[in-house]
Amino acid sequence: MSNKLKIGVFGYGVVGSGLAHVLKNSKGLDASIVKVCVRDGEKERELDSAVLTTKPDDILSDPEINVVAELIDDADAAYQIVKTALQNGKHVVSANKKMLAYHIEELIQLQWQHKVSFVYEASACGSIPIIRNLEEYYDNDLLQSVSGILNGSSNYILTKIFNDNLDYDVALKQAQDLGFAESDPTSDVDGFDTLYKLIILTVHGFGLFVHPDQVFNFGISNLSPKDIELASQKGYKIRLLGKVTKVNGNHVNLLVAPKFVKPEEHAFTVESHYNGVLIQGNFYDNQFMYGKGAGAHPTGSAVLSDITALAYDYKYEYKKLKYYGGLQYTNDMEVEVYLRYTNKDDLALFNFSDIKESLTGKDFNYVIGTLNLSDLIKIRQQIQGRDVFLAYLGDE
Ligand SMILES: NC(=O)c1ccc[n+]([C@@H]2O[C@H](COP(=O)([O-])OP(=O)(O)OC[C@H]3O[C@@H](n4cnc5c(N)ncnc54)[C@H](OP(=O)(O)O)[C@@H]3O)[C@@H](O)[C@H]2O)c1
């Protein structure tokens, strides 16, 4: 891009203010924030009032602004902002994984149509440059799986429960107080945040668009002390993982669920609000990326890195989409799971093909066995609200 970067920012919360701070400390980049659009014009903020607006058009229709940084916490409004910005010929940087998970296919088409860049490294794993790595380095068909801890707040909660014996509610409150949890924590603890990120990684890693409804995702909100005790007795930790795997050569599966993590697995070492992503491929074997997945400065620096990339006309090439297409989505995959349940009726919902271990007690019932993910996804509405907890035991 030959012109100076004139940035219009939407949102001045954790990430928006983090971006402003890291930009101030990046003297080498010829870029400045010329407008910031927020929801509430009355809120106290450390911002020059001449820069502040509550009218999206002050950014979207300003010909001087060539870059829009969309950093708001409302996915529907974000979709309208990003769409209009691309249509108006502006380059767009976004951190909004939920908006991307639902609209990425359309937005990619729009950026091509309007010959602008649309980059969103901060949307998946904060400061870990996983999207650009999948784009630039793992851009062939050797990739077999991408998995890991993609959500910092659920990992913080699980670390506090396992390491410090904190109750779930206390650990969740700490995560919120420290700003690790999103404005709505259900997205973090019920696995949706992980799912949205996994969908974005699947586009760049495997060239496949997956709708969130196609994927079985289960979170940690039903975790009980009994689950923790059993996992600990076996020498495991419980962590919330997302995994995209190539199945039988031409299919891809996505799964988001807690996992019993073994000491020799990479995820075992990922503590607190950190993220860790394992990339597994033919010939190059395992590679692991680790870093801060959330927070003002880690996320703000990922947004800045995208803005810097715009200065040299960077665009995702979507090589997997263009050259290695043809993969299809499947849930037809056997998984080994731990299921804790309270009522026998709950157990009857699960179609186990094989049971390896089970216990029926006064206040603790569980089964470890194998079932097919396609059966599990059929009962996901039915198991909502029941006192059951699921974790898988397969490879990370
Ligand atoms: N927090 C993280 O560590 C993190 C990490 C990775 C990605 N993200 C993603 O980054 C985005 C922002 O997250 P955040 O944590 O910074 O959220 P946040 O702290 O809750 O801030 C949200 C900001 O968006 C503004 N806003 C909301 N709706 C708006 C609208 N329609 N028009 C203009 N401004 C609007 C709010 O304005 P007011 O200030 O007036 O309320 C606020 O400034 C989300 O998509 C999130 O998923 C966050």
Side-chain angles (χ1 to χ4, degrees), residues 2 73 103 110 157 187 203 224 260 262 272 284 290 300 375 383:
S2 51
D73 61 343
H103 301 290
L110 265 184
I157 294 167
S187 178
V203 172
S224 85
F260 279 4
K262 304 175 204 112
S272 190
Y284 51 78
Y290 171 85
D375 288 331
I383 60 178

Side-chain angles (χ1 to χ4, degrees), residues 57 59-61 65-66 68 78-92 106-118:
D57 260 0
I59 290 177
L60 296 171
S61 301
I65 291 174
N66 47 18
V68 166
Y79 167 62
Q80 295 303 334
I81 288 165
V82 171
K83 201 169 147 176
T84 311
L86 294 172
Q87 284 167 337
N88 290 0
K90 298 187 189 307
H91 303 289
V92 177
E106 182 195 346
L107 296 174
I108 290 171
Q109 291 298 334
L110 265 184
Q111 68 159 327
W112 286 340
Q113 202 181 324
H114 294 276
K115 298 188 172 41
V116 284
S117 289
F118 177 40

Side-chain angles (χ1 to χ4, degrees), residues 10-16 37-40 43 45 71-74 77 81 95-97 122-123 179 182-183 293-296 299:
F10 282 88
Y12 206 72
V14 175
V15 183
C37 178
V38 290
R39 188 171 28 200
D40 177 359
K43 231 186 234 179
R45 1 190 156 232
L71 307 172
I72 71 171
D73 61 343
D74 173 338
I81 288 165
N96 205 312
K97 53 233 137 174
S123 66
E182 298 270 341
S183 33
T299 314

Side-chain angles (χ1 to χ4, degrees), residues 135-376:
E135 268 290 305
E136 301 299 328
Y137 189 75
Y138 304 95
D139 61 345
N140 49 48
D141 60 1
L142 299 180
L143 187 68
Q144 291 306 305
S145 70
V146 180
S147 66
I149 293 169
L150 313 182
N151 177 264
S153 50
S154 60
N155 206 56
Y156 177 87
I157 294 167
L158 290 168
T159 303
K160 287 285 160 189
I161 290 173
F162 271 80
N163 295 6
D164 301 341
N165 291 321
L166 287 195
D167 284 343
Y168 176 86
D169 291 340
V170 178
L172 170 61
K173 173 85 174 48
Q174 269 194 13
Q176 286 173 315
D177 290 348
L178 289 165
F180 301 144
E182 298 270 341
S183 33
D184 176 5
T186 55
S187 178
D188 293 317
V189 297
D190 286 340
F192 292 101
D193 181 80
T194 300
L195 170 61
Y196 300 147
K197 291 168 181 169
L198 199 60
I199 284 173
I200 298 165
L201 300 187
T202 302
V203 172
H204 290 272
F206 295 93
L208 186 70
F209 296 110
V210 179
H211 192 276
D213 290 349
Q214 289 178 277
V215 182
F216 181 79
N217 74 300
F218 194 85
I220 58 166
S221 48
N222 280 4
L223 183 74
S224 85
K226 289 286 178 199
D227 307 315
I228 297 152
E229 202 181 308
L230 184 85
S232 303
Q233 273 169 13
K234 290 178 179 291
Y236 302 149
K237 287 177 185 170
I238 297 175
R239 290 288 187 262
L240 180 62
L241 264 77
K243 180 170 183 177
V244 47
T245 321
K246 209 187 260 181
V247 185
N248 300 330
N250 58 354
H251 284 80
V252 165
N253 171 260
L254 272 64
L255 172 64
V256 175
K259 171 172 153 48
F260 279 4
V261 181
K262 304 175 204 112
E264 63 274 21
E265 293 183 306
H266 295 79
F268 199 88
T269 61
V270 180
E271 302 275 49
S272 190
H273 59 296
Y274 280 78
N275 284 190
V277 189
L278 180 64
I279 297 161
Q280 302 187 69
N282 292 336
F283 305 109
Y284 51 78
D285 206 4
N286 290 353
Q287 296 179 1
F288 187 61
M289 297 177 80
Y290 171 85
K292 286 188 176 166
H297 291 144
T299 314
S301 59
V303 175
L304 181 67
S305 160
D306 274 350
I307 291 172
T308 308
L310 294 179
Y312 54 86
D313 294 323
Y314 183 81
K315 284 183 173 61
Y316 298 136
E317 283 190 52
Y318 301 97
K319 293 174 195 149
K320 290 287 173 71
L321 269 177
K322 289 180 180 161
Y323 308 120
Y324 296 96
L327 294 176
Q328 290 182 343
Y329 187 72
T330 185
N331 277 315
D332 184 10
M333 200 174 81
E334 299 285 300
V335 280
E336 191 180 5
V337 302
Y338 157 81
L339 166 72
R340 179 188 47 77
Y341 61 95
T342 304
N343 301 315
K344 288 220 169 58
D345 294 352
D346 295 344
L347 175 63
L349 291 171
F350 293 83
N351 188 15
F352 279 97
S353 58
D354 173 47
I355 291 185
K356 203 161 128 184
E357 188 178 317
S358 67
L359 176 91
T360 314
K362 198 158 79 57
D363 57 354
F364 185 31
N365 308 309
Y366 77 84
V367 166
I368 293 177
T370 306
L371 40 72
N372 195 291
L373 212 47
S374 56
D375 288 331
L376 204 49

